[in-house]
Amino acid sequence: MHFPKNVLTAILEFEGPKKIITCHDYFLVCPSITLMGPKQKFCDVPKKKEICASCLEKKYQISNFSLEQYRQDSIGLLLKADHIIFPSETARKILFRGLSTFIGPAFQVLLSQVEKKSSVIGHAIPHSSDRRTLVRGPRILKKVIFLGGFSEAKGLHLLEEVIPALHAH
């Protein structure tokens, strides 16, 4: 997710097609997004609120912040999705472990509902000779929405190759 929670909320409340979210970072657990602590090391979701508060203050200049409320809001957003996809089981475990930290029993129950509609679908990029498989299949109406920035590191070159092929089908 590379856009504010209010944009995600608006999308999930929109009536229409199924809402499928891909969670490839930890924005829903912490505003740091990557869970990198002040020493640029992965924090692995601390169990002590003081550690999180100190990190947010030192590294991101965020103070008087309720991670409990932040994570409860994140669970509420995920409940509105029809399905949640993770790129790896590790990412899935870290996100759910993070969301389960600092929340009460009622939200633990809601989190278990969210977990049931999640799955892991690795998104390894196919070999260049196999890119044509990205656009094969039955002739159906394809709609793609992308919100956020694109760069070479995020696969801009693949998007530039696939879009013309999608138009051709």
Side-chain angles (χ1 to χ4, degrees), residues 3-18:
F3 43 88
K5 279 187 171 180
N6 63 340
V7 174
L8 180 59
T9 300
I11 291 169
L12 291 174
E13 290 177 350
F14 181 75
E15 292 295 322
K18 287 188 174 187

Side-chain angles (χ1 to χ4, degrees), residues 76-146:
L77 285 175
L78 291 172
L79 280 168
K80 294 176 183 178
D82 294 300
H83 196 75
I84 303 127
I85 297 171
F86 292 89
S88 69
E89 187 59 35
T90 301
R92 184 178 178 276
K93 285 179 181 177
I94 291 169
L95 186 117
F96 283 113
R97 185 177 69 241
L99 288 176
S100 69
T101 308
F102 313 143
I103 61 171
F107 276 91
Q108 294 290 351
V109 171
L110 295 174
L111 185 58
S112 69
Q113 292 174 16
V114 170
E115 202 163 359
K116 289 176 185 172
K117 56 183 175 178
S118 71
S119 62
V120 174
I121 301 176
H123 62 256
I125 298 171
H127 186 272
S128 61
S129 64
D130 296 327
R131 288 191 187 136
R132 63 187 177 277
T133 62
L134 294 173
V135 295
R136 281 190 184 158
R139 187 170 174 93
I140 58 171
L141 180 61
K142 294 174 177 82
K143 293 183 182 180
V144 177
I145 298 174
F146 178 81

